[in-house]
Amino acid sequence: MASFSTACRLSVRLASRQLRQDAAARGFKSSAKILAAQNFTMPALSPTMTEGNIASWKVKEGDSFSAGDVLLEIETDKASMDVEAQDDGIMAKITQGDGTKGIKVGSRIGVIAESGDDISSLEIPAEEKPEAPSPKEESAKPNKETTSESQAEAPPTSKPSSSAGESKPQKKSSGPAKKQTKPLLPSVQALIHEKGLEQADVDKMTPSGPNNRLLKGDVLAYLGTVSESYPTELAGKIEKLMHLDLSNIKLAAPAPKPQKEVKQAEKPVAEVPSRVAVSISMASVIEVQSRVQKTLGVFMPLSTFISRATDIANDNLPKSKTYQPSADELFNDILGINKVTTSSGVRGSFLPQITALPTSAPLAPVKSLPARSSDIIDILSGTTKRKSPALAARPVPGLSNAVNVFSVSVPKGDEKRARIFLGRVKSVLETEPGRLVL
Amino acid sequence: MFSRALRTSRAAPLRHNAFSRVALAKRNVTTDAASAHADKDAVPEEDSKPFSVTLSDESFETYELDPPPYTLDTTKAELKQMYADMVSVRRMEMAADRLYKEKKIRGFCHLSTGQEAVAVGIEHSLTKEDDIITAYRCHGFAMMRGASVKSIIGELLGRREGIAYGKGGSMHMFAKGFYGGNGIVGAQVPVGAGLAFAHQYNGNKNTTVALYGDGASNQGQVFEAFNMAKLWKLPILFGCENNKYGMGTAANRSSALTDYYKRGQYIPGLKVNGMDVLAVKAAVQYGKEYTSAGHGPLVIEYVTYRYGGHSMSDPGTTYRTREEIQRMRSTQDPIAGLKLKLLEWNVTTEDELKQIDKDARAAVDKEVAEAEAMPPPDATPQIVFEDIYVRGSEPQFMRGRTLEENYYY
């Protein structure tokens, strides 16, 4: 390929020479004859290139070349590229041969002489000093950049800090008023305009603001409306208040006490639930049920009656003693909005637990645990109060046709509500169950 | 067709060598840098005595325009100065190339190696009162407008003594009568129309040269500027530097019409051999007379070639062959072409040319060394913010990215 291209080039050049037919074509060089040889350094073929490998030299020592000829091929991590001669010349010496790896940009790889120079008598220039450290410079570049960056950042920070130093009362009062470089604050501008002050007056004022800016108080002090020292005092005060003073804060006492209290509070909560039970006869319900089936041909399970009775009974119960009204309710209460709807009470969420009683039931509250004690989970968990409402809501298989015990477990203090609830259930189911199906 | 007939009928008497007019119907502008002719015996002894040079028939192509005269009056001194200027520009571009490859220049850098004849030819046909505005390939123009090599290289290196105080870089250089150095592709063309309008408004008999590349010639604002310029008959020479490739794409792959001199549609056009500095000078000189006479704008296409890549990050050989570059370099180089002619016409001797080369190189190298020795600027907010406004016209403060970065003048 290379030989082909050189052949092409040769033919082109021959053709051009023939075209000219002129001895002056010899003078077809754009360069001057200068007797010094030059170092040929590793070029950076892309802005990010820092080092490269020499794949191969396309010229030999002693070869002459013209501008635009390929001198060598360089490989980088990205690509391999040809290096062209910028000028006519002779390759006097090649210091880094084919296949040399990792040559830093800027380090010498050869020596070039001007065309027409005698290479044998040529003085090889010493490798320039700056070129040796240049690779170091390359490697040190990031550092350098960071330092320059820090320099770049330093002046703005140093400037405000110096001006901030001046803004401190002690320094400023000693130093003469500095000319305002920044635009005046609107309040200051307005005041100056109001008082008809000149630019010269502004320059005489002592600024006490941050970054050496003029404040309204400075103008007033200049005018004598406030005492001379007032702005600096105020500035000092503001500076003091800018920092949160934590010096007189004492450590809080250790907090084991509240922990105990929490434990005590928890225990009563665990003890609280108590059981309220009422025995209700289902006779009238069953009578209604059979009547419905007779007349309408629809079988209504007892559970429907019970759930509907529960629903009615839950309506409009008195408020629980432990009831915490929500913020909304309190707010509505204050406005008097909720008077119509819930003034007489709130809706309860009781679900009665039903247990069949084969014999006539006692009216007193009953511990109906024996029926449930066979539940292994209750035994294992050691709790007897865990009656899930969902379970209770289901029709209990042991529902008797005669008397059943309806029980509700409630936290302490809510027994009265529970009793009212169960009383309603009882009255609904015993006296007029017919209304439940209408 | 009509224009071509018109051109031939009117231009014929001006030509000297009638033989080359045989193939009139199909002829393209040459890029031969050494195509002019001069009678060897007619060249005077004195440096400042004018003599006339005959340009090649293939130097121009026109669109709805009479071609410029094919003879150009010049002097030995001017020819030598042109040569020295081109050598200096090339030397400086090579120095920039070297510094970039040593990673001393960072960021954008577009070199004009191979296109020197355009910058030098334009400058030699204008006065300092005329205006030039160009795109980002601007080092040569800045130098020709009077900027020192030191200030240009210093700018590339980001030094305070740079021509734009080290804040513009390669794309943004300004000098008296030179309005940059513009990074936005095509955006300088309407600005150039504005500069021309200023001349017209003030009644100056000056012209503005607004240059753009073949890639930028498809930009909409170029055509907006064309419209305004023609409407108001502004004294402007729109110049398309056609170096055949716009950032990696050949002209015929990006443009539906590669006859950029015809792009003005209602504006007469002129295509020039941009590798021959004498042809460029003749064309711009003619264009200046044309616009100064109140005929309105012209679109001039400078057919040229760049040897390097589009920018420093473009090797320049992926979309064209190395052989093509080498062929242009060895046969059509503007510097070598002028050199050949100077020797042929006995304007100067080979030794004198070598001395010019040597002097130019020494001068550029010296100034580059001085630029390199200049200290880099301190990284302080004051230096960053101080040149945003003309001194004395600053607002009270400039906002930074954060409150702490605000700078108060």
Side-chain angles (χ1 to χ4, degrees):
Chain A
M1 190 63 206
S3 63
F4 173 70
S5 61
T6 44
C8 284
R9 219 173 296 147
L10 264 178
S11 66
V12 161
R13 219 164 288 151
L14 277 176
S16 73
R17 209 157 286 174
Q18 277 174 344
L19 267 175
R20 302 275 154 216
Q21 292 180 333
D22 197 338
R26 274 167 174 273
F28 236 75
K29 277 171 212 144
S30 55
S31 68
K33 192 167 158 185
I34 289 178
L35 284 170
Q38 279 187 317
N39 281 327
F40 185 65
T41 58
M42 186 69 167
L45 297 173
S46 72
T48 52
M49 176 176 164
T50 54
E51 59 174 42
N53 311 329
I54 295 175
S56 60
W57 283 91
K58 305 289 183 198
V59 290
K60 293 193 291 291
E61 279 188 23
D63 281 3
S64 58
F65 51 83
S66 55
D69 282 353
V70 177
L71 293 182
L72 75 160
E73 195 182 332
I74 286 179
E75 283 173 350
T76 65
D77 47 352
K78 286 178 190 146
S80 71
M81 276 169 283
D82 296 333
V83 178
E84 290 173 15
Q86 286 298 311
D87 204 353
D88 303 347
I90 302 171
M91 183 51 68
K93 196 168 165 40
I94 292 172
T95 55
Q96 304 282 346
D98 290 3
T100 320
K101 305 246 180 254
I103 305 166
K104 301 275 186 228
V105 168
S107 55
R108 182 169 77 174
I109 54 176
V111 179
I112 291 176
E114 290 299 315
S115 47
D117 285 355
D118 184 11
I119 305 175
S120 55
S121 65
L122 201 71
E123 203 177 308
I124 302 292
E127 190 163 2
E128 284 172 42
K129 268 284 165 238
E131 283 172 7
S134 68
K136 275 187 202 164
E137 229 174 58
E138 284 308 326
S139 61
K141 201 123 206 178
N143 295 335
K144 209 178 169 187
E145 274 171 4
T146 52
T147 54
S148 72
E149 259 172 48
S150 64
Q151 272 177 356
E153 276 164 22
T157 52
S158 72
K159 199 183 174 190
S161 69
S162 65
S163 56
E166 282 167 47
S167 78
K168 277 178 185 167
Q170 309 90 326
K171 267 197 181 176
K172 191 160 14 51
S173 55
S174 65
K178 208 178 151 192
K179 194 174 181 289
Q180 287 291 300
T181 50
K182 300 179 183 186
L184 296 176
L185 298 171
S187 61
V188 176
Q189 269 179 345
L191 190 62
I192 284 170
H193 182 71
E194 195 182 309
K195 301 288 179 192
L197 295 174
E198 300 289 324
Q199 183 61 39
D201 297 316
V202 175
D203 292 342
K204 280 181 218 157
M205 293 172 195
T206 317
S208 68
N211 291 332
N212 214 16
R213 293 183 85 155
L214 206 62
L215 300 180
K216 199 174 167 184
D218 300 326
V219 182
L220 293 174
Y222 177 79
L223 292 169
T225 318
V226 296
S227 75
E228 196 84 6
S229 60
Y230 181 72
T232 49
E233 279 169 22
L234 195 64
K237 212 182 276 179
I238 289 169
E239 196 174 5
K240 196 183 161 203
L241 289 175
M242 273 200 309
H243 307 286
L244 190 59
D245 187 9
L246 298 174
S247 57
N248 59 350
I249 300 291
K250 285 167 194 157
L251 278 180
K257 258 188 181 174
Q259 281 177 355
K260 268 183 189 173
E261 275 174 10
V262 167
K263 273 179 190 171
Q264 282 169 352
E266 269 173 7
K267 270 181 184 169
V269 168
E271 287 166 0
V272 155
S274 64
R275 184 164 284 265
V276 180
V278 165
S279 61
I280 297 169
S281 161
M282 301 298 277
S284 54
V285 175
I286 287 159
E287 190 194 324
V288 169
Q289 187 188 31
S290 58
R291 215 190 309 152
V292 166
Q293 196 167 13
K294 263 181 204 163
T295 53
L296 301 175
V298 178
F299 176 74
M300 295 198 67
L302 288 181
S303 58
T304 310
F305 287 94
I306 292 166
S307 64
R308 285 184 185 178
T310 311
D311 190 39
I312 290 168
N314 262 328
D315 232 2
N316 230 357
L317 285 172
K319 275 176 191 162
S320 158
K321 277 176 188 165
T322 56
Y323 175 73
Q324 297 289 329
S326 69
D328 267 359
E329 284 165 339
L330 286 174
F331 184 73
N332 289 343
D333 215 24
I334 290 163
L335 294 182
I337 291 171
N338 57 352
K339 259 184 184 165
V340 183
T341 51
T342 52
S343 61
S344 52
V346 291
R347 186 170 169 77
S349 56
F350 292 111
L351 276 173
Q353 169 114 33
I354 303 156
T355 324
L357 276 187
T359 54
S360 62
L363 279 170
V366 182
K367 300 266 180 200
S368 60
L369 292 177
R372 307 275 309 164
S373 63
S374 57
D375 195 337
I376 187 71
I377 293 171
D378 280 350
I379 296 166
L380 286 176
S381 62
T383 52
T384 53
K385 59 184 169 65
R386 288 187 56 200
K387 304 285 168 356
S388 106
L391 265 175
R394 276 187 214 151
V396 180
L399 191 65
S400 147
N401 286 356
V403 180
N404 295 281
V405 173
F406 281 61
S407 60
V408 183
S409 67
V410 289
K412 207 161 202 164
D414 265 5
E415 289 90 346
K416 198 183 165 195
R417 284 183 86 208
R419 240 170 250 130
I420 291 168
F421 167 75
L422 289 175
R424 282 187 192 167
V425 173
K426 185 181 169 78
S427 65
V428 168
L429 288 179
E430 286 185 352
T431 54
E432 37 185 359
R435 283 176 62 186
L436 292 175
V437 291
L438 291 178
Chain B
M1 267 299 118
F2 172 71
S3 71
R4 187 160 281 165
L6 194 75
R7 181 186 61 130
T8 51
S9 62
R10 288 211 197 155
L14 295 168
R15 304 248 181 79
H16 285 227
N17 48 350
F19 282 105
S20 58
R21 265 182 284 128
V22 178
L24 262 183
K26 180 74 181 167
R27 186 172 57 206
N28 292 316
V29 161
T30 177
T31 49
D32 192 341
S35 56
H37 294 279
D39 193 354
K40 206 169 169 179
D41 304 324
V43 176
E45 285 291 310
E46 298 86 357
D47 265 3
S48 56
K49 195 173 174 188
F51 64 100
S52 75
V53 173
T54 310
L55 301 172
S56 157
D57 278 350
E58 296 169 347
S59 292
F60 306 119
E61 225 171 298
T62 59
Y63 169 70
E64 315 235 327
L65 180 75
D66 298 336
Y70 282 80
T71 53
L72 177 70
D73 286 338
T74 183
T75 63
K76 281 168 76 172
E78 188 189 37
L79 291 175
K80 279 189 261 184
Q81 185 57 44
M82 281 179 172
Y83 179 79
D85 285 344
M86 285 202 284
V87 170
S88 299
V89 171
R90 173 143 326 163
R91 276 283 147 211
M92 186 180 71
E93 296 289 55
M94 280 162 59
D97 179 273
R98 177 177 62 83
L99 290 171
Y100 200 94
K101 285 181 177 163
E102 286 171 11
K103 297 184 104 178
K104 286 174 182 162
I105 295 173
R106 311 304 295 257
F108 295 111
C109 190
H110 299 79
L111 302 182
S112 64
T113 326
Q115 302 182 200
E116 296 90 351
V118 179
V120 173
I122 289 175
E123 180 58 34
H124 276 268
S125 50
L126 298 180
T127 64
K128 291 290 175 197
E129 285 71 40
D130 296 316
D131 291 332
I132 295 182
I133 184 166
T134 184
Y136 38 78
R137 210 178 295 283
C138 65
H139 305 173
F141 290 98
M143 186 174 169
M144 292 318 298
R145 286 264 97 180
S148 68
V149 175
K150 188 174 149 185
S151 68
I152 293 171
I153 296 291
E155 184 61 38
L156 295 178
L157 293 165
R159 304 291 201 254
R160 291 289 286 155
E161 291 87 343
I163 194 163
Y165 311 119
K167 289 164 184 170
S170 162
M171 288 186 172
H172 308 106
M173 296 179 175
F174 307 91
K176 174 105 179 58
F178 179 58
Y179 292 84
N182 290 271
I184 301 171
V185 174
Q188 74 278 11
V189 182
V191 179
L195 292 169
F197 180 68
H199 283 314
Q200 192 192 49
Y201 187 83
N202 291 326
N204 300 337
K205 285 286 172 203
N206 290 319
T207 193
T208 300
V209 176
L211 293 150
Y212 52 93
D214 50 296
S217 65
N218 297 320
Q219 286 281 317
Q221 50 192 337
V222 173
F223 296 95
E224 293 173 33
F226 282 176
N227 179 50
M228 293 299 247
K230 183 64 181 178
L231 188 66
W232 293 340
K233 291 201 182 319
L234 298 180
I236 182 167
L237 299 175
F238 295 107
C240 175
E241 273 187 276
N242 178 8
N243 58 23
K244 299 193 176 70
Y245 300 93
M247 196 159 80
T249 310
N252 59 0
R253 294 185 65 197
S254 71
S255 298
L257 177 72
T258 52
D259 292 332
Y260 295 105
Y261 66 110
K262 293 178 182 171
R263 284 294 188 92
Q265 191 185 351
Y266 37 76
I267 303 177
L270 176 62
K271 187 175 180 179
V272 194
N273 173 9
M275 297 303 258
D276 183 359
V277 67
L278 298 172
V280 172
K281 180 178 155 76
V284 177
Q285 202 167 278
Y286 174 76
K288 192 188 169 186
E289 281 166 25
Y290 180 92
T291 54
S292 301
H295 295 309
L298 270 188
V299 176
I300 302 181
E301 176 185 349
Y302 307 91
V303 185
T304 180
Y305 198 85
R306 67 169 147 76
Y307 300 154
H310 171 80
S311 69
M312 292 308 293
S313 41
D314 171 21
T317 49
T318 49
Y319 47 87
R320 54 184 186 178
T321 60
R322 205 176 282 286
E323 283 67 43
E324 181 188 315
I325 305 168
Q326 245 353 351
R327 191 182 67 237
M328 292 301 287
R329 231 190 227 279
S330 56
T331 63
Q332 322 263 292
D333 186 70
I335 295 174
L338 184 62
K339 185 177 190 173
L340 192 70
K341 286 293 145 190
L342 294 186
L343 292 173
E344 193 181 288
W345 300 337
N346 278 338
V347 170
T348 178
T349 61
E350 189 150 4
D351 287 342
E352 197 181 347
L353 285 181
K354 281 193 175 157
Q355 190 56 43
I356 292 174
D357 280 346
K358 207 171 164 182
D359 291 349
R361 180 172 184 165
V364 169
D365 286 353
K366 180 171 155 281
E367 295 212 39
V368 168
E370 282 173 14
E372 273 194 82
M374 294 190 291
D378 299 331
T380 58
Q382 196 210 346
I383 287 176
V384 174
F385 286 100
E386 75 180 354
D387 293 316
I388 298 176
Y389 289 85
V390 170
R391 303 273 160 95
S393 71
E394 296 101 341
Q396 280 183 309
F397 67 98
M398 283 302 297
R399 281 174 63 173
R401 289 170 303 181
T402 62
L403 201 62
E404 289 71 38
E405 279 186 1
N406 282 6
Y407 182 75
Y408 295 88
Y409 287 104

